[in-house]
Each structure stands twice: as C-alpha cells, then as structure tokens.
Amino acid sequence: MQRALATHPLQCFSIPQFSPKHHYFHSLPRNKQYPLTLSTSFSLSRELLKVSDSNKQQPQDVNSEIGDDEDELLQEKDFAVDDGVDLGWLPAFPHVLTASMSNFLFGYHIGVMNGPIVSIAKELGFEGNSFLEGLVVSIFIGGAFIGSIACGSVVDKLGCRRTIQIDTVPLILGAIVSAQAQSIEEMLLGRFLVGLGIGVNTVLVPVYISEVAPTKYRGSLGTLCQIGTCIGIIASLCLAIPSENDPHWWRTMLYIASVPGFILALGMQFCVESPRWLCKAGRLDEAKNVIKNLWGSSEVDKAIKEFASVIKNDGGDLDSSWLELLEEPHSRVATIGGALFVLQQFAGINGVLYFSSLTFKDVGISSSALASLYVGLTNFAGALCALYLMDKQGRQRLLIGSYAGMALSMFLIVYAISFPMDGEISNNLSILGTILYIFTFAVGAGPVTGLIIPELSSSRTRGKIMGFSFCVHWVFNFLVGLFFLELVEKFGVAPVYGSFGAVSLLAAAFAYFFIVETKGRSLEEIEMSLNPKFQGKRSSE
C-alpha cells in the first residue's frame, strides 16, 4: 500500500443542464459592469487564427486596409490557418508545457520507487523492515506537505516563474542525494527534498497556468498538469524494467530524475511571468506585453482594466496574509478547496490503485509492472479526454459525471465480489470496474479539482488557498494509505469499496450544489461575481 501513498489528485457525460439557483455561489449578485461572458476569442497571431472565405477571395484588398499596421497584420496573416481551425491556445502552449514539466517530475517520483524498493532496501541494509520501506516512500508526503504550505507566501513575493526556478534546487539535489545514498538516512533526506520540491510545484503550476492561459483555453491547458503526471508515471514504470535484472539500476533511475529539473530551470528562463502578478507588482508595461503576446493585442486594455479593478477593490497578492483565509469570501473558497480534496481521497483512488495489481493477477497478468502500465495508460487516456472536454462540457459537469462514473465502477466491483457467479465472469467484471474507475477519475475528479480551486480563488489569496488545499490533500492522502489495508482486513474488500462508491456519490452531490461553473469566464470576472465586498462597492458608486 505504501507504493500508492503519493498518488496525485487526476467522455462525454450526459448530464442535464442544472438550474443556477441550486448553486451556492449563484446566490451572489453578478457584476453589471463586467458581464460573465461564455467565451473569449484569442489567437496565435495575437488575434483569432481563422481566415474567412472573403479574405481568401480578396487578398488584394488586404494591403489597401493595412495602413500603418502593415507589418503587424502581415505577421498575423503568416500564422493564420484554414477556416474553422482555432489555434489561439498556441502562443501560451510553450509556457504551459514547460511549467507542466514539474508534473512530469511528480509522476516520475511517484513511480520511481514502485519497482526498485526491494533492491534499495537490500543494498542499504533495511531489507525485510516494512516500516523503513514504507518510510522511504511516505516521507515524500511529509516534504510535500511542508512545500505546499510554504509555497503560498513565496509566490506572493517572487512570482510564479522565479519560484518555479528556485524550486528546482531541492528537486535536483534530492534526486542526486537519493541516487548516491549509502545509508537509509541519506535516502530519507533525498526523498524529503524531492517531496519538498513537489509540494511547491503541485500548488504553483496550476496557479501559473490559470493566470497565463487565455480564458477560452484555460481548462484544456490546465489539463496538461494531469497529462504530465501520467507521462511521468509511465516513464518511470518503463525505465524500471531493467531493475528486475540489475539490482543497482535504481541509482541510474534516480540520476535520470535530476535531468528534468535542469530542463525546467532553464526552460522557465524563457517563459513569461504571470501578467496578473506583474500588474500587482507595479510592472504594468511588462504585463501589457505578456497579454499582447499570449492573449492578443485587442485584449490588453480590457485585461488591464479588470486587473486594476480587482487590485483597487481587493488589494494585491503582495500584501496578503494567511489570516485572510478566515475572512469571506476567501474562507468559503478555502473550505470548498479542502473539501474537494477530502472527497477525492475518500473516494478511494489510492486503494483502487493498490488493489489493481491484485485484480490483474486474477485474470492472468502476474507482472505487477505490466499491470501498473495498464493502469497508467488508462489514466493517460482519461486525461486526454479531459483535455478535449474541459472547455466544452465545463468543470462542474465533468466533476459530477466523473464521480458518478467512479461510484458506478465501485458498485460494479462490489457486485462482482459479493454475488455468486462464474469465477471468470467475476474477474472480468472486476477488471472492467477497475479500468472504468481509473478512467473516469482521470476525466474529472483528478484534473478538475486542481484546476477549479485557483479559478474560484481571489487574486489576493490564490496562492495561499491552493497551498492550504494541497496540505489537506497530502494529509488525507497519507491517512487513507495508512488505514486502507487495516480496514480491508477488518471488513473485507466489498464493504470498503462500497464506501468508496458512496463517497463518490456524495462528491457528485457536492459538485452539484457548491461548485459554480467557471468555463469561459476570466479569473477577474469570477472573482468580481463571487466577492460581496466588491459588489457592495460597485453598487454604491
């Protein structure tokens, strides 16, 4: 079970359109000056990357209308593509992709201990000591907890880009110390440093992506966090194959873990800083340049005006404190963020991942590495579906559909275990339920949870609310991993899985009543609609 302790939080569902009156946040008045638009158009060429048929038929008229902006418009034309293809996400994609390298590292470090832990224990002299074996894996969570809670204050002062670069130091050092470890103490130190770095990045990267991505593509680009984690897990599982024949291969795997850290530190040097943080830091010209390059020149004035309105009425991140999380509306969002992660963990993802290898053995797949690879590929397929659906179906629909699918999967496994039937049929139903559970988790409950919290958070406390929420995640991640086997031994698999299904239904209901849809709305529009203090000031003017 210890191998599943550090699992990261990661289709089209036919969900009816729900009435806004049921949603907790919809009871707040909406901002009249900034209506909540459903979508905003951006483009690679700094405008929408579409060429109309009329433009194709009359190229000679373009030059006559360019005027003083000839160079800029011709540059935009170079990036234009055929009618119907929208590549407005492309300018922000390299920056988001670079930042998501952090999630690749997270996934890699989740899987890197799965295979070689036996070889590590034998070489470092704690073979057969289940407590120390578990500690090597789980101390990662202790470091992640500290990193998550420390991140909120650091990012307020330094910004996302610089903090990500600094955070590569413990990631690189931790990997190298672990690879060179000659004792259990050195291994624990290395794993703690890696956990510290991962704790910072799991908070920081979703915040960075939400703040640099164009509104229209924020959900899809945010899903790259989950995709990066999945690819990291799959990479570590593939690289672990030689460890079955080479007892020292684990050192090579841990040395390899330091390479993405160097790439991340170098790559972020060429990435932009969050325009929202730049604006709060008083670097207005830099913020305008970032907005123009990533979102489009037509969005500059509107975005700066929204940034200024939020800063004027709610203050800047640079002045925030942890005590503000006790005040409205920050306390409400922090409570929802923590609750989402509690429900996510109690829905049983760690337990299902742990028992998945046993389930696969029942159908003849005896290799745990191969079983883990099947699980990783299923997770990856679900994340790809989330990438496509996030900005089409919306966050709330994906959450509800995801948890409903997870509940159905759990009840299917319970049925296969509890009712008498042919052994082969029972095993096949268990496999189907496991695959369906992991897939539906990766479509909604995994990626949406980390994405929607920074979207609902105010600019002033976004980093701290994310830090608090992920601290809750790490605590309950550890607790579920700690007590899962004991509960299974005491009550059996069916009752425990049945409780996972019940919690999944509870999570779907929570999403229905307490989660507001954020699709197609800028972070400032969301904040102004949810903040009673802002609404009060606007109405008094």
Side-chain angles (χ1 to χ4, degrees):
M1 183 58 212
Q2 295 294 344
R3 300 181 185 180
L5 285 176
T7 303
H8 189 264
L10 276 169
Q11 139 172 31
C12 184
F13 299 105
S14 299
I15 302 298
Q17 184 66 42
F18 303 116
S19 170
K21 66 183 180 181
H22 296 296
H23 301 159
Y24 185 82
F25 280 131
H26 280 301
S27 61
L28 296 174
R30 293 193 175 192
N31 178 27
K32 297 179 180 179
Q33 182 176 357
Y34 299 96
L36 301 181
T37 57
L38 293 178
S39 63
T40 307
S41 295
F42 301 93
S43 72
L44 170 65
S45 60
R46 320 305 181 231
E47 304 296 338
L48 184 63
L49 288 179
K50 294 182 179 179
V51 178
S52 65
D53 292 336
S54 60
N55 286 339
K56 296 177 184 177
Q57 296 170 0
Q58 296 176 329
Q60 68 275 13
D61 294 334
V62 175
N63 292 333
S64 62
E65 296 177 1
I66 289 179
D68 295 336
D69 297 328
E70 179 177 3
D71 292 339
E72 180 179 351
L73 291 178
L74 285 177
Q75 182 182 9
E76 294 182 3
K77 185 178 177 183
D78 290 338
F79 286 105
V81 295
D82 289 341
D83 193 19
V85 179
D86 184 0
L87 296 178
W89 51 270
L90 200 50
F93 181 74
H95 309 274
V96 173
L97 183 65
T98 302
S100 63
M101 179 69 72
S102 301
N103 295 89
F104 173 86
L105 272 169
F106 180 35
Y108 188 89
H109 281 289
I110 288 175
V112 75
M113 286 292 172
N114 278 1
I117 185 63
V118 176
S119 299
I120 294 173
K122 184 175 182 179
E123 186 168 343
L124 299 186
F126 58 94
E127 184 180 14
N129 190 327
S130 59
F131 173 77
L132 289 180
E133 289 183 8
L135 187 61
V136 168
V137 177
S138 59
I139 196 172
F140 176 94
I141 296 179
F145 177 87
I146 296 175
S148 295
I149 203 167
C151 176
S153 299
V154 176
V155 71
D156 286 351
K157 301 296 183 182
L158 302 179
C160 293
R161 174 172 165 266
R162 193 63 64 196
T163 305
I164 291 175
Q165 287 184 300
I166 294 175
D167 186 53
T168 60
V169 174
L171 288 171
I172 294 171
L173 287 180
I176 294 175
V177 169
S178 299
Q180 295 180 339
Q182 300 297 325
S183 66
I184 180 64
E185 291 80 12
E186 292 177 0
M187 176 58 70
L188 291 175
L189 174 61
R191 292 294 291 171
F192 177 82
L193 289 174
V194 168
L196 188 68
I198 293 299
V200 172
N201 280 340
T202 51
V203 172
L204 192 56
V205 174
V207 172
Y208 177 77
I209 293 176
S210 69
E211 294 197 350
V212 303
T215 299
K216 184 178 179 181
Y217 312 100
R218 191 175 61 236
S220 297
L221 291 175
T223 309
L224 289 179
C225 290
Q226 182 73 7
I227 292 176
T229 303
C230 294
I231 294 175
I233 294 174
I234 294 172
S236 65
L237 292 174
C238 292
L239 286 173
I241 294 175
S243 65
E244 298 179 1
N245 301 317
D246 184 355
H248 306 294
W249 179 251
W250 62 271
R251 294 189 183 274
T252 302
M253 292 183 64
L254 290 172
Y255 276 124
I256 292 174
S258 66
V259 176
F262 288 108
I263 297 174
L264 178 62
L266 179 62
M268 289 305 298
Q269 187 64 32
F270 301 96
C271 291
V272 298
E273 180 55 85
S274 162
R276 292 171 168 93
W277 184 85
L278 290 172
C279 194
K280 286 177 285 191
R283 295 155 63 176
L284 195 59
D285 290 338
E286 294 180 55
K288 289 181 178 180
N289 189 53
V290 171
I291 296 169
K292 178 181 178 181
N293 290 334
L294 299 190
W295 302 357
S297 57
S298 63
E299 298 296 321
V300 174
D301 292 339
K302 175 188 174 184
I304 293 298
K305 183 178 180 181
E306 289 184 346
F307 294 173
S309 296
V310 168
I311 293 173
K312 177 181 178 181
N313 289 278
D314 198 28
D317 246 348
L318 300 180
D319 301 320
S320 66
S321 71
W322 282 99
L323 293 177
E324 292 182 40
L325 266 61
L326 301 176
E327 304 172 359
E328 289 288 350
H330 314 307
S331 61
R332 193 181 316 129
V333 178
T335 301
I336 289 175
L340 283 174
F341 275 123
V342 171
L343 291 169
Q344 184 197 67
Q345 293 302 304
F346 281 157
I349 182 62
N350 280 345
V352 174
L353 290 178
Y354 174 73
F355 260 100
S356 63
S357 60
L358 301 180
T359 305
F360 279 103
K361 281 185 179 179
D362 290 337
V363 294
I365 301 176
S366 57
S367 172
S368 60
L370 185 59
S372 298
L373 185 59
Y374 283 141
V375 170
L377 292 175
T378 303
N379 206 351
F380 181 67
L384 289 179
C385 288
L387 175 70
Y388 176 76
L389 295 171
M390 191 70 71
D391 286 317
K392 296 182 181 296
Q393 297 296 318
R395 285 56 152 166
Q396 188 193 49
R397 281 192 172 192
L398 286 187
L399 266 183
I400 295 172
S402 174
Y403 278 116
M406 290 162 63
L408 176 64
S409 306
M410 288 292 94
F411 295 144
L412 179 62
I413 296 175
V414 171
Y415 174 78
I417 294 174
S418 303
F419 292 89
M421 63 180 69
D422 180 75
E424 184 178 353
I425 296 176
S426 176
N427 291 337
N428 289 335
L429 286 178
S430 297
I431 285 289
L432 176 62
T434 300
I435 293 297
L436 182 62
Y437 177 92
I438 295 169
F439 180 83
T440 51
F441 173 86
V443 168
V448 173
T449 303
L451 173 65
I452 201 167
I453 297 173
E455 290 183 328
L456 294 176
S457 304
S458 70
S459 176
R460 181 175 181 81
T461 57
R462 185 167 292 124
K464 291 183 173 62
I465 288 177
M466 279 293 286
F468 166 78
S469 300
F470 266 96
C471 284
V472 173
H473 164 262
W474 293 119
V475 169
F476 283 89
N477 183 300
F478 177 78
L479 291 177
V480 171
L482 183 64
F483 293 108
F484 173 73
L485 283 182
E486 184 177 341
L487 291 173
V488 169
E489 291 174 0
K490 185 174 183 180
F491 299 105
V493 175
V496 174
Y497 271 32
S499 67
F500 289 162
V503 172
S504 296
L505 290 178
L506 178 62
F510 181 87
Y512 176 77
F513 287 107
F514 293 99
I515 299 300
V516 65
E517 185 54 69
T518 58
K519 178 187 70 172
R521 299 161 61 178
S522 74
L523 299 181
E524 287 67 39
E525 289 173 344
I526 298 168
E527 178 175 352
M528 288 186 286
S529 70
L530 303 183
N531 193 334
K533 183 173 67 172
F534 180 88
Q535 290 291 339
K537 290 184 179 181
R538 297 303 305 174
S539 61
S540 64
E541 292 179 356

